[in-house]
Amino acid sequence: MPISDIKGDSTPGAYPTGSRVGWLEAYKRTDEPTNEFRDKSIWMDEFAGTAMFGEVWHNAAALVVIPVVCYVVFKLGGGLVSLIVIMAAGATYYKNSIRRFRRNARDHITSELVKSALENDNETTEWINNFMAKFWPIYEPVLSATVAQTVDGVVDSILGGDQKPAFLESIRLTTLTLGSKAPRVESVKAFPNTDPDVVLMDWRVSFTPTDLEDMTPRQLRTQANPKIVITIRLKNGGVGIPIVLEEMAFRGFMRFKLKLTSNFPHIKTVDFCLLEPPAIDYVLRPVGGETLGFDIAHIPGLQAFIREQIHNIIGPMMYAPNVYTLDLENIMTGGKSLTAAAGVVQFTIYEAKDLKNSEVLGNSDPYIKIRLGNRSELAQTSVKQNTQNPVWDETNMILVNNLHEVICMEIFDKDNVRKDRQLGQANFDLKSLESEAVQDDIWCKVLRNGKERGSVRIRAAYFPVQEPALAADGVTLVPVESNCGIMAVNIAQAKDISKTGKTKSHCVVYLNGKVIDTTKSMTGANPAWGADVDLFVTDLANAQIAIEVVSDDDHVIGSYGVSAKKLVKDTTDKEDWVALQGGDGKLKVTGIWKPILMGEDSTIHKPPFGVVRIQMIGARNLRNVEIGGESDPYVVITGEKNMSRGATKVINSDLNPTWNEIFYVPINSLKQSFVFECFDFQKVSKDRTLGKTEFSVSEVVEEMADKSGYVARPTVDKWAPLKQKDKDETKGELHYVVSFHPTLKIAQEATEAEKAAAAVPVVSVEGADSENPPVNTSFAAGENPLPDGTIKPSEVLDYDSGVLVVHLIGADLNKSDTYCEFYVDSDSYQYKSQHQKSRNPKWGEIADLFVKELEYSKLVIQVKEKSTLEKDPVVGIFSANVRTLLEKASAEGGEYPIMDKHGGHDKRGSFHLKFEYLPVPIQLFPRERLDNMGNLTVVLVRARNLIAADRGGHSDPYIKFELNDEGVHKSEVVKKTVNPEFENETFIVPIANRDEDKFTLEVFDWNQMSAAKSLGTATVDIRNIQLVLPNEFWIPLQNKSNQGEVLLRLSFMPEFLSSNKRASFVSSFIGGGANVIGGGGVGAVGKGLMGGISSGASVLGLNRKERSGSKSSVDAPADVPPSTIPNASAPALASSRRISITTSRSRASSSPSDGSDTVGEPGNLTIHVIEASGLLGVDKSGQSDPYVKVSVGSKTLLKTKVKKENLAPNWSEAVAIPGITGSPMTINFLVRDHNTIGSDKDLGEYNLALWEHLQPSTETTPGVYKADIWGQLSGAGKLHIALEFEPQEGSDGGKKRGLFSRK
């Protein structure tokens, strides 16, 4: 490894940047002739050595210094003992110096004599010494780096656990070099009379790098002695204490015995021993470092003691007759690469507890980096905000080549301003998996500075590569069949990838669109990377591998994509050279499949075997975190991988809330669990937790004894205490009911062989097992009924409820770095994919989504772009009715368009999807059925026989409508009549629950000078009105004389309504006044994220009165008298008769259209943005600086001025759009808060379907070309908009089509 690479390595656990490894780094030298760069002591060696006969000057200096020191000590009051110690140390130093001088002189004389022998004799070893002298300066830095990395890894693994003393911060090998002079082989003696496969030799070797006499002037300039510096750093940022070991020397007489073999590496074992005790010398300075350090060898008796201890330790291992054996064949594992993955560790981090808080205000934001030993980072968990007890529940697959390493978990506190601070480290020793392959619920201590700083709960499971097994004949190898395993990819080389031959290139390896590895860079037109890349594949059948050859300036030279199965087949067929796509040249690549059996722990998607129904009833005695009020609680349900599975609405100012909301979650493992966490909603700051509780699926599900399926255990109805954050205490209780409902099994069509076998008469055999006959899950015409819980494929769509399994295979997008969110009948996503950077992502993921009712359920997939904004922008949307998807879906999957997020016709890409449906026989509660919620269209036709409140025998009546005691509409006043005609005044009311919502009306007499007088009230029973089609009723009023009736025309369109968790249901949709309900047809009112299910009701229009005499598409025949309701509290409202509608739709044919495809006529349009009210205050002052952006598709039409610090701004700005064609048009109004520093924030948006508000002219009806609209924003507040349309002269586009015909 080059020294430059070591210096630049900043990865966690890598060798420290400031370390000096190798002689070149240790002494900061170069062999350039222009740079002598001597050590500061070398000039003294040269001068004194020349003047005083070489190294003898050391002894002379000692003879001068010792008397001087004795004199100074005596003058300072030292006694006889001090003088004796100094003289003993000086004598020992003099003795060692003379011995080293004589040794060097003897070595020099010997080397000179050997040089002479090298010229005359052939049987010498000087050729090895000559080679080593030239090779050693090149190889020594690499060897030193390897040793340094290994030693530091061992030290880390030892001191990373409990063994680390409390006072110790770290131990680092900061300098390591073996010197610039190579070891020498003094003599070699071979013994020929041995066995044919045995080689026996005696070697005399020496390592005396301090001998300079035989070195050339060039070698002297770059000479370096061996040196090892170990730095010990104490806690609390103490200064490092260096321990210096240098000038090591060795001389030994060894015997080697090699046992040869025909297998690689052709040497089975190596036995070696020392025939005599070796001579060892060194300089050790434990205190003072390189400058002031004192050699402990000068302490009388210590050097002999250390030498004796070395002999005592090494002697029993390798002093003759004892031998030390290396089994090379076993080490090399039969010729396999030592770095090749031998298995995979499934490593799950559940949670951490009691982490140390590093923040001054608030709590830490912890996350974990995972690495193996001292290697670079392998994975990183998500960041958990503001907690000392984070819950991750994240799983990573770690490829390992042995179980002799340690998984290090470094815990950091995320800091957006400064460098992330380390909170501690926890370790897990993989060696423990040898005795127990699966270990769950393991708590690992988190340590920092030798002190415990919390703990981490993990699960680790080891799955080795399965080797082929021997067949019955004992010869044939039978490979293990598994769809999960390791793909060992070898990228050998490329040819002709460039013309110049100077291109520097590397390879990037992708698995299913995700970057897995990058090879080293090499220069040339035919680079030979020789890179081995191990890929963990969970689904071999669908895995896609891609390799890009990229130049160092990020230019893609060429690429190669292939399925994993084909790569294995090509390797078997020896077709390893492939042509690069998008460029010249070819690539040599091979792939070997190594199967792994993971069983239930496999990460391959397992089909759900049922769903759990979670009824979130309510809570009591919740913790109050508000000052001067009460908490606004709501509950979030979190499942596996910390993914949200639903959230209740917010109940304002209530410590004993009642939600009564129901959620469904598909189940595919008994190990699944859920966290129910209660939060206090905050408008400006982050929501605060009120406590949480956990629920395990195994409480309501159990596996059958014969492992053939799962059955439900008794329903759990529980008041669970809420555990408080970072505390062991509880406060408040959460009431929930959880039950399990299994899916039905789908029988397979019987094959022709099975059908033929079924036709053969069954012959009873004595001794056959009659009590447990085999279960047949295939069927053919006329055979016996299927087992319980199994249905035929043709019966699948007969079940309204079930699990929709969506295979997200890939996509073709116009954006990169995207991910997907899946929604079904919910404003919270049920599944979120991984984000991928490619424009052609290959996700290969599967989402399990519960469908309540096939007829009405709608699948929505949002594609979002990863960004740094508060909310990631939506790139595009795919939406469709679930039944329609299943009826048209093919077994192989298909392409589905991704459209513009505003509902326009701009295509943003396409999905490759495949669908499955697993029915669940479950009885839905009436209040949760989709036909129990939707939009109620109310047409106020007329009233009759009202009470006369004025003196003239007349009244000035108007009517107020309320839903659950909240005003939803106020009609116009009709002067001086008791039989008013309201001219088909129309409005729409979102109904969350037909069974529970209360819809009432009250008739008033308007007075100019005094308060209005009530003329009667009525309750409209909406529980059993006919769906979609209009129902016309005379509603009797209740007053003192029970006088008066009101004629209403009602139609109810079922659709999912978003459960707004930021406000109560009615206030988020309804305001006061006659024109308070913004709209774009039924699909626009309360549609939230999901939009409308059907556009059938959009023919009724919104917030406009039908002109008298105009033809309504829902008018009843004149000869059919409307029915009356004798009692307003009757259980059902009778419809006069079924009335035809222009665009009728049955339940089965409901479309996901939102009504935006209504067409109009050509002309010019003017849009007025007038004002807004009730906007969100997102600034610290509680105000906002709003402006409006008006756009159609991706084109911006108008951007208003910014209104500073205003929640009810008035803009009164307009934009003209000339030459519109009359085709369907959706206009987007986006209200944003302007920020001078930072990005602008969204306050809400409103989508307006143009031709739902303007009425083109027909042959019998004049057009309505003006509209005044209060549109409900998606966040909070309303936007006041006015439309003016000028039809094109001579246009008959509107006359050629019906008013609400579809394009």
Side-chain angles (χ1 to χ4, degrees):
M1 180 183 297
I3 294 176
S4 59
D5 292 349
I6 298 172
K7 289 182 64 179
D9 192 348
S10 60
T11 56
Y15 202 60
T17 303
S19 302
R20 293 183 290 173
V21 179
W23 65 269
L24 191 60
E25 276 292 299
Y27 286 88
K28 297 292 183 184
R29 300 185 179 184
T30 179
D31 57 357
E32 293 293 333
T34 57
N35 190 352
E36 301 292 337
F37 82 136
R38 291 281 188 265
D39 236 33
K40 58 184 179 182
S41 62
I42 290 181
W43 68 270
M44 186 65 181
D45 285 335
E46 293 179 346
F47 174 78
T50 303
M52 299 185 180
F53 308 102
E55 291 187 353
V56 179
W57 75 270
H58 290 285
N59 302 329
L63 293 177
V64 174
V65 170
I66 291 174
V68 172
V69 172
C70 291
Y71 178 80
V72 172
V73 171
F74 178 76
K75 281 295 185 179
L76 294 177
L80 181 61
V81 175
S82 300
L83 296 178
I84 292 174
V85 171
I86 295 174
M87 293 175 65
T92 305
Y93 171 80
Y94 183 84
K95 175 184 175 182
N96 292 336
S97 179
I98 291 296
R99 180 177 51 81
R100 289 170 183 168
F101 173 78
R102 291 174 178 174
R103 179 200 64 204
N104 293 338
R106 182 172 56 251
D107 291 340
H108 176 59
I109 294 171
T110 302
S111 63
E112 291 297 326
L113 294 176
V114 171
K115 285 183 181 178
S116 176
L118 179 63
E119 298 175 356
N120 303 316
D121 301 331
N122 294 326
E123 299 293 329
T124 68
T125 60
E126 281 305 303
W127 67 271
I128 297 179
N129 298 327
N130 186 42
F131 168 79
M132 287 294 297
K134 297 180 179 180
F135 179 72
W136 182 256
I138 300 172
Y139 177 67
E140 186 274 340
V142 181
L143 177 61
S144 297
T146 303
V147 174
Q149 293 277 16
T150 304
V151 172
D152 262 353
V154 173
V155 172
D156 278 349
S157 62
I158 293 176
L159 298 183
D162 299 339
Q163 300 91 335
K164 184 177 181 179
F167 63 88
L168 192 62
E169 172 70 24
S170 66
I171 298 178
R172 283 293 180 184
L173 188 61
T174 52
T175 301
L176 171 63
T177 177
L178 299 178
S180 59
K181 186 176 180 181
R184 288 180 54 83
V185 180
E186 304 291 350
S187 66
V188 175
K189 181 180 180 180
F191 297 88
N193 298 323
T194 59
D195 295 335
D197 58 347
V198 173
V199 176
L200 185 63
M201 294 180 292
D202 289 347
W203 288 41
R204 287 190 181 273
V205 297
S206 65
F207 181 59
T208 55
T210 56
D211 180 16
L212 311 179
E213 298 300 328
D214 58 343
M215 300 183 70
T216 65
R218 180 183 179 87
Q219 291 174 333
L220 285 173
R221 285 200 300 270
T222 58
Q223 188 271 338
N225 289 330
K227 180 185 294 185
I228 300 175
V229 180
I230 299 176
T231 301
I232 300 176
R233 190 174 299 277
L234 304 181
K235 68 175 184 179
N236 300 326
V239 177
I241 302 174
I243 298 177
V244 181
L245 177 65
E246 59 184 355
E247 297 184 17
M248 294 84 74
F250 170 86
R251 181 185 297 276
F253 185 29
M254 296 179 289
R255 172 165 291 176
F256 290 91
K257 181 181 179 181
L258 281 65
K259 178 72 173 179
L260 306 180
T261 180
S262 58
N263 298 326
F264 182 84
H266 307 298
I267 300 177
K268 180 175 178 59
T269 59
V270 177
D271 298 336
F272 67 94
C273 66
L274 290 165
L275 298 178
E276 59 186 30
I280 303 173
D281 193 23
Y282 54 88
V283 174
L284 177 61
R285 299 188 178 99
V287 180
E290 302 179 41
T291 306
L292 303 176
F294 176 76
D295 185 3
I296 65 172
H298 300 152
I299 298 176
L302 183 58
Q303 187 178 34
F305 174 78
I306 295 176
R307 185 182 301 112
E308 190 67 26
Q309 291 301 313
I310 293 174
H311 293 328
N312 291 338
I313 294 173
I314 301 178
M317 290 191 297
M318 57 182 65
Y319 285 4
N322 303 313
V323 295
Y324 188 86
T325 301
L326 285 176
D327 192 343
L328 293 183
E329 187 178 35
N330 184 51
I331 292 175
M332 302 301 286
T333 62
K336 294 183 180 179
S337 172
L338 292 175
T339 60
V344 62
V345 174
Q346 188 181 54
F347 195 72
T348 302
I349 300 179
Y350 292 124
E351 60 181 321
K353 283 187 177 180
D354 304 325
L355 297 179
K356 180 178 174 59
N357 189 9
S358 62
E359 299 288 347
V360 179
L361 299 176
N363 294 317
S364 302
D365 304 323
Y367 68 93
I368 295 181
K369 292 182 178 180
I370 304 171
R371 58 183 176 85
L372 268 180
N374 62 340
R375 301 185 195 175
S376 58
E377 176 187 329
L378 297 176
Q380 179 177 310
T381 68
S382 58
V383 178
K384 298 301 175 183
Q385 302 289 336
N386 196 34
T387 179
Q388 303 309 123
N389 297 286
V391 177
W392 287 286
D393 197 13
E394 299 181 17
T395 300
N396 291 282
M397 310 304 292
I398 302 175
L399 299 179
V400 296
N401 51 40
N402 61 73
L403 292 180
H404 300 286
E405 296 189 86
V406 175
I407 293 181
C408 300
M409 295 168 280
E410 294 180 308
I411 307 173
F412 290 87
D413 173 29
K414 184 67 175 179
D415 197 315
N416 294 325
V417 179
R418 297 175 296 177
K419 182 181 179 181
D420 296 350
R421 286 168 288 187
Q422 188 175 20
L423 302 179
Q425 177 174 311
N427 295 332
F428 177 76
D429 193 347
L430 293 179
K431 193 174 182 62
S432 62
L433 295 176
E434 290 180 345
S435 57
E436 188 178 354
V438 179
Q439 299 184 31
D440 200 358
D441 203 22
I442 303 297
W443 285 95
C444 300
K445 292 181 180 180
V446 177
L447 299 175
R448 180 168 173 79
N449 297 331
K451 296 183 179 179
E452 189 172 342
R453 300 299 190 190
S455 55
V456 178
R457 185 165 72 96
I458 66 164
R459 177 184 186 274
Y462 176 62
F463 303 96
V465 170
Q466 299 297 312
E467 300 293 341
L470 286 175
D473 57 10
V475 178
T476 308
L477 291 177
V478 180
V480 177
E481 295 292 336
S482 176
N483 203 36
C484 177
I486 297 173
M487 176 65 73
V489 178
N490 176 265
I491 306 174
Q493 64 180 111
K495 284 188 177 181
D496 304 326
I497 61 172
S498 67
K499 296 180 179 179
T500 61
K502 298 181 180 179
T503 302
K504 198 171 184 180
S505 59
H506 60 274
C507 292
V508 182
V509 183
Y510 298 82
L511 176 62
N512 295 330
K514 183 179 180 181
V515 176
I516 302 298
D517 199 2
T518 301
T519 69
K520 62 184 178 182
S521 295
M522 297 196 72
T523 304
N526 304 302
W529 297 287
D532 292 312
V533 180
D534 290 325
L535 309 175
F536 178 68
V537 177
T538 58
D539 187 2
L540 177 64
N542 296 315
Q544 297 290 326
I545 298 173
I547 302 172
E548 285 185 348
V549 181
V550 184
S551 63
D552 279 9
D553 57 359
D554 292 332
H555 168 67
V556 179
I557 299 173
S559 62
Y560 173 63
V562 65
S563 67
K565 293 190 73 172
K566 187 177 186 303
L567 180 59
V568 174
K569 183 178 182 301
D570 290 346
T571 302
T572 304
D573 297 339
K574 301 188 181 303
E575 297 177 0
D576 46 8
W577 282 100
V578 295
L580 290 174
Q581 302 168 356
D584 298 329
K586 54 185 180 178
L587 182 70
K588 185 178 183 180
V589 57
T590 57
I592 299 175
W593 177 244
K594 299 191 286 188
I596 291 177
L597 298 177
M598 299 189 66
E600 289 297 321
D601 293 281
S602 173
T603 56
I604 301 175
H605 174 266
K606 293 182 284 292
F609 53 78
V611 298
V612 292
R613 174 159 56 191
I614 304 172
Q615 302 177 59
M616 200 57 61
I617 308 298
R620 63 189 179 194
N621 302 326
L622 294 178
R623 184 165 66 102
N624 189 11
V625 295
E626 297 287 351
I627 300 177
E630 293 185 339
S631 300
D632 307 322
Y634 68 95
V635 176
V636 175
I637 301 173
T638 305
E640 69 280 2
K641 297 182 180 179
N642 209 34
M643 185 177 294
S644 174
R645 287 297 190 172
T648 67
K649 62 179 178 288
V650 174
I651 304 296
N652 292 323
S653 302
D654 195 344
L655 300 181
N656 300 283
T658 299
W659 293 287
N660 278 329
E661 296 190 37
I662 301 175
F663 305 90
Y664 293 87
V665 183
I667 301 298
N668 52 27
S669 173
L670 286 177
K671 298 179 182 179
Q672 284 183 244
S673 61
F674 300 98
V675 175
F676 305 148
E677 187 165 9
C678 192
F679 289 91
D680 170 50
F681 170 70
Q682 298 290 312
K683 290 184 178 179
V684 179
S685 62
K686 184 180 178 181
D687 295 354
R688 291 174 285 190
T689 181
L690 303 179
K692 64 181 178 180
T693 184
E694 296 185 9
F695 178 82
S696 176
V697 169
S698 59
E699 296 183 40
V700 291
V701 188
E702 65 180 356
E703 191 173 9
M704 293 181 180
D706 59 357
K707 308 291 185 181
S708 61
Y710 299 85
V711 294
R713 301 178 67 181
T715 298
V716 174
D717 188 339
K718 186 176 182 180
W719 281 93
L722 294 174
K723 184 178 180 182
Q724 299 303 298
K725 182 179 180 182
D726 301 331
K727 299 179 181 178
D728 292 331
E729 63 183 29
T730 61
K731 173 63 176 175
E733 293 177 297
L734 187 66
H735 186 197
Y736 58 80
V737 179
V738 182
S739 59
F740 172 72
H741 305 270
T743 58
L744 295 176
K745 297 180 181 178
I746 303 173
Q748 303 296 321
E749 287 277 3
T751 63
E752 294 299 327
E754 289 173 336
K755 292 178 181 179
V760 177
V762 178
V763 179
S764 61
V765 179
E766 185 177 355
D769 188 356
S770 59
E771 295 182 359
N772 299 296
V775 178
N776 182 18
T777 57
S778 63
F779 68 92
E783 70 175 34
N784 294 330
L786 294 171
D788 291 339
T790 305
I791 61 174
K792 298 179 181 180
S794 59
E795 300 172 342
V796 169
L797 296 185
D798 294 341
Y799 292 83
D800 281 341
S801 301
V803 179
L804 178 66
V805 181
V806 183
H807 297 253
L808 178 61
I809 301 172
D812 186 5
L813 305 172
N814 60 357
K815 294 281 187 178
S816 58
D817 203 7
T818 55
Y819 63 92
C820 300
E821 293 178 347
F822 292 73
Y823 302 81
V824 173
D825 307 332
S826 173
D827 53 359
S828 299
Y829 62 78
Q830 284 82 52
Y831 184 81
K832 181 178 178 180
S833 73
Q834 296 181 342
H835 83 274
Q836 295 203 11
K837 296 184 178 181
S838 172
R839 291 196 174 193
N840 305 103
K842 305 294 183 184
W843 278 290
E845 299 183 36
I846 302 177
D848 298 326
L849 315 169
F850 181 72
V851 175
K852 290 183 180 178
E853 296 178 88
L854 276 180
E855 307 293 348
Y856 298 122
S857 291
K858 180 179 181 181
L859 169 66
V860 174
I861 306 177
Q862 286 192 350
V863 183
K864 291 188 175 182
E865 183 180 11
K866 197 77 173 177
S867 70
T868 57
L869 302 177
E870 185 177 356
K871 292 183 178 180
D872 293 338
V874 178
V875 175
I877 293 178
F878 166 74
S879 64
N881 176 264
V882 175
R883 174 180 281 274
T884 304
L885 278 177
L886 294 174
E887 289 176 341
K888 297 180 179 180
S890 66
E892 295 78 20
E895 299 292 327
Y896 297 87
I898 302 173
M899 308 306 292
D900 177 73
K901 67 175 181 177
H902 300 301
H905 295 274
D906 295 336
K907 186 176 179 180
R908 298 303 173 89
S910 62
F911 277 125
H912 186 192
L913 304 173
K914 188 171 71 172
F915 300 98
E916 298 176 55
Y917 183 66
L918 304 175
V920 177
I922 185 173
Q923 185 67 37
L924 298 178
F925 296 116
R927 60 189 174 90
E928 64 173 325
R929 295 186 64 89
L930 289 180
D931 57 7
N932 191 49
M933 68 169 62
N935 287 305
L936 177 67
T937 302
V938 182
V939 180
L940 177 57
V941 183
R942 63 179 69 92
R944 66 187 180 190
N945 301 329
L946 300 180
I947 295 175
D950 297 338
R951 295 179 179 179
H954 300 287
S955 293
D956 302 326
Y958 69 92
I959 303 178
K960 289 182 64 176
F961 294 85
E962 292 185 348
L963 180 70
N964 299 330
D965 299 325
E966 296 279 350
V968 296
H969 185 73
K970 177 182 175 183
S971 73
E972 294 192 0
V973 178
V974 182
K975 297 294 185 69
K976 297 182 179 181
T977 180
V978 294
N979 298 295
E981 294 284 342
F982 290 97
E983 299 182 351
N984 293 337
E985 191 168 327
T986 304
F987 61 97
I988 296 178
V989 182
I991 303 297
N993 192 326
R994 282 199 297 155
D995 286 339
E996 298 178 2
D997 286 353
K998 182 181 178 183
F999 186 50
T1000 60
L1001 63 87
E1002 186 171 6
V1003 183
F1004 289 90
D1005 172 52
W1006 178 81
N1007 289 300
Q1008 186 173 6
M1009 304 300 296
S1010 60
K1013 180 180 179 182
S1014 176
L1015 302 181
T1017 62
T1019 300
V1020 182
D1021 192 340
I1022 59 176
R1023 289 176 295 176
N1024 295 306
I1025 62 175
Q1026 185 169 303
L1027 302 180
V1028 181
L1029 302 179
N1031 304 255
E1032 198 164 284
F1033 308 101
W1034 280 105
I1035 311 295
L1037 297 177
Q1038 295 178 356
N1039 47 45
K1040 292 182 179 181
S1041 57
N1042 289 331
Q1043 178 181 345
E1045 295 176 298
V1046 177
L1047 179 61
L1048 299 180
R1049 186 181 303 130
L1050 307 175
S1051 62
F1052 184 79
M1053 176 59 62
E1055 71 175 71
F1056 171 76
L1057 299 180
S1058 173
S1059 175
N1060 194 325
K1061 295 183 286 295
R1062 296 297 184 262
S1064 63
F1065 181 86
V1066 175
S1067 64
S1068 66
F1069 293 102
I1070 311 299
N1075 293 324
V1076 295
I1077 306 178
V1082 175
V1085 180
K1087 69 182 181 179
L1089 169 70
M1090 302 301 298
I1093 293 178
S1094 173
S1095 59
S1098 64
V1099 299
L1100 297 178
L1102 182 64
N1103 285 342
R1104 68 166 185 267
K1105 295 187 292 183
E1106 299 289 348
R1107 296 175 179 267
S1108 59
S1110 66
K1111 181 178 180 180
S1112 172
S1113 59
V1114 294
D1115 284 343
D1119 58 344
V1120 180
S1123 62
T1124 54
I1125 304 177
N1127 188 349
S1129 62
L1133 298 176
S1135 175
S1136 60
R1137 59 172 290 177
R1138 179 167 297 192
I1139 303 172
S1140 63
I1141 191 168
T1142 303
T1143 310
S1144 61
R1145 312 183 79 88
S1146 67
R1147 287 178 59 182
S1149 62
S1150 296
S1151 166
S1153 171
D1154 63 357
S1156 62
D1157 55 350
T1158 306
V1159 296
E1161 58 182 305
N1164 302 321
L1165 175 67
T1166 302
I1167 303 172
H1168 298 266
V1169 179
I1170 304 173
E1171 59 183 325
S1173 64
L1175 298 180
L1176 284 173
V1178 296
D1179 295 339
K1180 293 183 179 179
S1181 62
Q1183 300 291 322
S1184 293
D1185 305 325
Y1187 67 92
V1188 181
K1189 183 179 177 182
V1190 184
S1191 59
V1192 174
S1194 58
K1195 183 177 181 180
T1196 300
L1197 304 176
L1198 172 67
K1199 184 176 179 180
T1200 67
K1201 296 180 180 178
V1202 176
K1203 299 296 180 180
K1204 294 288 186 179
E1205 298 186 353
N1206 201 332
L1207 300 183
N1210 186 297
W1211 292 285
S1212 297
E1213 298 185 35
V1215 60
I1217 309 175
I1220 66 173
T1221 61
S1223 60
M1225 177 183 290
T1226 298
I1227 306 171
N1228 176 259
F1229 297 85
L1230 179 62
V1231 184
R1232 310 196 76 191
D1233 169 57
H1234 174 72
N1235 290 309
T1236 304
I1237 300 176
S1239 59
D1240 296 350
K1241 297 182 179 179
D1242 293 348
L1243 301 179
E1245 74 177 321
Y1246 171 63
N1247 289 320
L1248 183 145
L1250 178 63
W1251 301 113
E1252 300 291 351
H1253 299 273
L1254 301 179
Q1255 177 181 329
S1257 61
T1258 65
E1259 295 179 355
T1260 58
T1261 306
V1264 176
Y1265 297 126
K1266 292 185 178 181
D1268 189 82
I1269 304 160
W1270 278 92
Q1272 177 66 43
L1273 297 173
S1274 60
K1278 299 185 291 292
L1279 181 65
H1280 190 186
I1281 307 162
L1283 304 176
E1284 292 182 319
F1285 182 75
E1286 180 182 353
Q1288 180 178 326
E1289 294 184 5
S1291 170
D1292 58 353
K1295 298 181 182 181
K1296 291 182 180 180
R1297 298 182 292 270
L1299 175 60
F1300 301 105
S1301 61
R1302 303 292 173 185
K1303 184 176 179 180

